[in-house]
Amino acid sequence: MKFNYKYGGTSSVQNGVSSTGVAFAPDVLRDPTFFIGTLHKKIPFREAISALHDVVVADFKFKPKDNTQYLEWLKSQEEVWLAEANQKLDKTNTEIHELQRKLKGLREQREVITKPYYKAQRKYFNYLYTRDYAAWLVLDPVITVHPDQVFFECFSKDESVYGKLSCNYDVFTNISDFKCGTTNIDYSENLYQEFQKIRSYKETDFKIDPSGFDVQTTGEENYKEIKIDLPDSWLRGFLQVSSAMTSEKISFELEAVDIANFIFVLKRNKERKSPRSIKYILKPGQPIIAVFEPWNIEIECSRSIYQGDVEKEIRVWGRRRILLLERLLPITDKFTVHLLGTGMPSFYTAHLNNDMYFTLGLSGWTANDWTQVSQLDLLAPRGQVSSSALQTIYLELRKNWFRTEKELATDVGMDVSTVNKALTTFTQAGKVIYDLKNKVYRARELKREGIDIDALRFSSDTDKEAYKISQQEDGVRNIEHKENQEKITITGVVDKTYTPSVTVDRDLRIVDGNCTCAYYYNNKMTKGPCAHILALRIAFEDK
């Protein structure tokens, strides 16, 4: 998938004695999107945008120790050790020393010949590193302007962490102009370094430059045009995050001191064996307890009381990624934690003085990244909504930019279930994102040309196989279901061999499931449902 970016100049920060100007260069190939204002909460914004940069450059995946130099040394020593083993054989020893002398001369000659090449190569890479540092690390982040806030989104280098910084308009003063929409911004390492110069005693102008969208017949050389070949996985990662946000979650609040204690434990201890998890023990009306395994260090969050009705015990992995929240601690009032289940993704929302909030989305574990391994979009059914209804709902959402499903249903005069199916479709297509804090759906188009929903929806072999099975004669049979309050448990025989069961909510979104196949035995639901669970849900929906 190829995305074309064309920026009106380069993003910059102009630092003076008494003022600072922050100007983002937007993608001029998109619909006009701009914002001009003056920062009011200067230091919190500086720390929050810097924390977003920490997400961008993060890479928590295991990296095996590089033994290349040791192996080269070992190989060079082999002749020496052989010579020492035969040191009593004078003639052999003399010949070996002579060969070693010649070999040393050849190696020195090789170094003389190859030195200019390696010097030029190092100089070239240093040039690239200095001129375009971001190209080594990340794609340009996505920025969205809405009537009530501006928010930035990005992924970490290892694609297992999603970051979103939302700034309400109370963060700014003297907002002179803005136009809602989504665009990519030019965001470099140099820009990050300039952000560190923001001070409370300086006026800081914040601008997504609208002049970048002017039609110009001259000065074309001022535009920076970039063509980047992007894998579908990058786009799929955003869709997985959006699907996870709308899934059923267990939520609770933690004080900033609780997260500080978590980080203290992780920094003071090193894992030597499994399990490497945080076990959250949630009991109604009691303080939340976090147990860090394998050390079994227990932290009682005495001021954080679990408000749920049912006792839960949930384990999450990839916990060192929580360290990315450290810079936010001095400016955070509280954290809201959303857990999808054991081994499933989790979200940590930092409330920054009620004007900003920072959402950190963690995949099930570090290697189970958002973009390639997760299949959380499969938890949501494919809603059957007419094209005219889809268009009506989306245009109404674009009119207001953010709405709850009930408000949207009232606006368009449709039932909530139809609107929910449409919003699920838009979420899977990258046109809508769910706001965890405000509990509203927001219009946010990831790609200006639109997205082929079917191509992305069936990029998973599991999904393809499920629909293939469901369409076969007797592919799914003996379907039975039981209703329990707001959930439905479905059982049946799939592919003449397997006996899966699946629990769904009233919108047919999968809450839990199990199967007798090898895929479920190995992964449970941590990588999404197996094809047999999906086929059973599809057949029940058709029935």
Side-chain angles (χ1 to χ4, degrees):
M1 183 176 293
K2 179 174 287 187
F3 287 176
N4 295 329
Y5 296 150
K6 187 173 184 180
Y7 298 116
T10 303
S11 296
S12 62
V13 176
Q14 300 294 331
N15 279 293
V17 175
S18 60
S19 65
T20 299
V22 180
F24 287 104
D27 180 6
V28 300
L29 296 180
R30 283 183 177 267
D31 292 336
T33 299
F34 51 84
F35 180 89
I36 302 175
T38 302
L39 272 178
H40 176 54
K41 304 294 179 65
K42 305 179 184 66
I43 302 305
F45 177 82
R46 182 191 70 192
E47 296 304 297
I49 199 72
S50 298
L52 195 72
H53 176 269
D54 292 341
V55 172
V56 164
V57 300
D59 187 355
F60 289 89
K61 285 188 175 179
F62 172 73
K63 303 177 185 63
K65 187 176 180 181
D66 186 3
N67 295 319
T68 304
Q69 293 183 349
Y70 170 72
L71 293 175
E72 290 179 355
W73 173 82
L74 193 64
K75 186 176 181 180
S76 66
Q77 287 293 106
E78 185 176 357
E79 296 89 348
V80 177
W81 291 333
L82 286 173
E84 291 176 352
N86 296 281
Q87 60 183 347
K88 294 182 180 180
L89 303 175
D90 294 338
K91 183 178 180 181
T92 304
N93 197 31
T94 302
E95 291 177 355
I96 288 175
H97 282 296
E98 179 63 21
L99 290 173
Q100 286 179 338
R101 185 186 63 79
K102 293 181 179 180
L103 183 61
K104 182 179 179 181
L106 290 173
R107 287 173 175 166
E108 291 175 349
Q109 187 178 0
R110 181 189 63 184
E111 290 180 2
V112 171
I113 295 173
T114 59
K115 185 176 181 180
Y117 166 76
Y118 287 115
K119 182 179 180 180
Q121 184 187 61
R122 185 168 58 254
K123 184 178 179 181
Y124 172 69
F125 285 130
N126 287 338
Y127 169 80
L128 289 181
Y129 187 82
T130 303
R131 289 293 301 273
D132 195 8
Y133 179 79
W136 289 73
L137 298 174
V138 293
L139 302 167
D140 289 323
V142 174
I143 186 171
T144 302
V145 178
H146 271 200
D148 62 329
Q149 64 176 228
V150 179
F151 59 91
F152 303 80
E153 298 176 90
C154 68
F155 275 109
S156 63
K157 186 178 179 181
D158 62 12
E159 299 178 332
S160 73
V161 182
Y162 164 82
K164 177 173 177 268
L165 170 62
S166 303
C167 302
N168 294 338
Y169 284 172
D170 289 339
V171 176
F172 307 94
T173 58
N174 302 324
I175 299 175
S176 59
D177 199 7
F178 69 89
K179 184 170 183 180
C180 298
T182 299
T183 186
N184 297 84
I185 58 170
D186 176 40
Y187 185 35
S188 65
E189 169 68 11
N190 292 334
L191 182 61
Y192 164 75
Q193 296 297 340
E194 293 297 325
F195 275 134
Q196 309 312 303
K197 301 176 183 178
I198 294 177
R199 296 293 184 270
S200 59
Y201 56 84
K202 292 183 179 181
E203 286 295 324
T204 301
D205 295 323
F206 184 92
K207 178 167 62 175
I208 302 167
D209 191 5
S211 65
F213 300 102
D214 291 346
V215 177
Q216 296 186 6
T217 56
T218 60
E220 183 68 19
E221 65 277 7
N222 294 330
Y223 286 152
K224 180 174 67 175
E225 185 170 0
I226 305 174
K227 295 182 179 180
I228 307 175
D229 287 316
L230 299 179
D232 285 345
S233 64
W234 176 79
L235 185 58
R236 185 171 173 78
F238 277 101
L239 307 189
Q240 298 292 349
V241 170
S242 298
S243 296
M245 286 180 173
T246 58
S247 299
E248 185 172 317
K249 299 172 288 292
I250 295 93
S251 303
F252 53 88
E253 292 186 354
L254 294 176
E255 297 289 328
V257 67
D258 299 326
I259 296 295
N261 289 334
F262 292 0
I263 293 174
F264 177 78
V265 170
L266 293 173
K267 283 190 168 185
R268 290 292 299 270
N269 297 277
K270 177 69 174 177
E271 302 91 339
R272 301 294 180 185
K273 60 181 181 179
S274 296
R276 300 177 175 89
S277 67
I278 299 178
K279 180 171 66 175
Y280 286 103
I281 301 175
L282 309 174
K283 296 182 180 180
Q286 296 186 25
I288 295 165
I289 296 175
V291 180
F292 288 77
E293 298 174 320
W295 318 298
N296 291 323
I297 298 175
E298 184 176 298
I299 294 181
E300 180 180 295
C301 306
S302 57
R303 294 193 296 175
S304 302
I305 308 300
Y306 181 56
Q307 304 296 331
D309 299 326
V310 181
E311 183 174 333
K312 298 282 186 179
E313 187 174 292
I314 300 174
R315 280 183 170 87
V316 294
W317 282 267
R319 60 195 179 188
R320 289 202 173 270
R321 294 173 292 175
I322 295 176
L323 295 173
L324 294 169
L325 298 171
E326 184 173 17
R327 188 159 185 171
L328 297 174
L329 293 177
I331 57 174
T332 301
D333 293 334
K334 63 179 180 179
F335 289 87
T336 300
V337 182
H338 305 277
L339 306 178
L340 271 67
T342 294
M344 300 287 281
S346 55
F347 294 91
Y348 295 78
T349 300
H351 300 258
L352 314 178
N353 301 320
N354 294 322
D355 298 322
M356 291 187 288
Y357 56 97
F358 188 101
T359 300
L360 189 74
L362 308 180
S363 59
W365 58 92
T366 307
N368 184 23
D369 58 67
W370 288 110
T371 62
Q372 298 181 26
V373 183
S374 298
Q375 298 187 52
L376 294 170
D377 59 335
L378 302 182
L379 298 177
R382 176 183 295 195
Q384 300 297 325
V385 183
S386 66
S387 298
S388 59
L390 285 172
Q391 184 177 18
T392 300
I393 293 170
Y394 186 69
L395 290 177
E396 185 64 32
L397 179 62
R398 278 294 298 264
K399 185 188 299 183
N400 298 286
W401 292 98
F402 62 93
R403 305 294 272 174
T404 66
E405 57 265 56
K406 291 183 179 180
E407 291 172 341
L408 200 53
T410 301
D411 293 339
V412 298
M414 299 181 187
D415 59 273
V416 176
S417 62
T418 301
V419 172
N420 274 330
K421 290 179 181 179
L423 290 173
T424 298
T425 300
F426 297 144
T427 300
Q428 294 171 350
K431 290 180 173 292
V432 169
I433 184 174
Y434 184 70
D435 187 336
L436 280 173
K437 178 179 180 294
N438 296 309
K439 296 180 174 57
V440 296
Y441 287 88
R442 294 184 178 274
R444 185 265 276 134
E445 293 196 11
L446 285 175
K447 193 182 177 189
R448 57 181 175 270
E449 297 92 351
I451 299 172
D452 185 346
I453 299 175
D454 285 340
L456 287 172
R457 173 69 175 176
F458 291 102
S459 60
S460 164
D461 292 336
T462 305
D463 202 13
K464 290 181 181 178
E465 184 182 354
Y467 274 89
K468 182 179 179 181
I469 294 172
S470 66
Q471 293 172 4
Q472 294 175 355
E473 186 177 356
D474 289 335
V476 182
R477 52 191 176 85
N478 299 340
I479 301 176
E480 296 181 1
H481 71 280
K482 294 181 180 180
E483 298 187 17
N484 181 16
Q485 295 179 349
E486 296 299 319
K487 298 178 181 178
I488 305 171
T489 300
I490 311 164
T491 59
V493 178
V494 176
D495 207 11
K496 301 179 181 179
T497 305
Y498 306 102
T499 56
S501 70
V502 58
T503 301
V504 298
D505 59 19
R506 292 295 177 180
D507 296 320
L508 295 184
R509 187 181 298 275
I510 294 177
V511 177
D512 196 9
N514 63 73
C515 186
T516 54
C517 68
Y519 182 91
Y520 179 83
Y521 178 81
N522 291 326
N523 303 300
K524 300 299 186 287
M525 294 286 287
T526 59
K527 293 185 179 181
C530 67
H532 312 107
I533 292 176
L534 288 176
L536 180 61
R537 195 266 305 274
I538 295 168
F540 176 77
E541 182 181 10
D542 294 340
K543 181 180 178 180

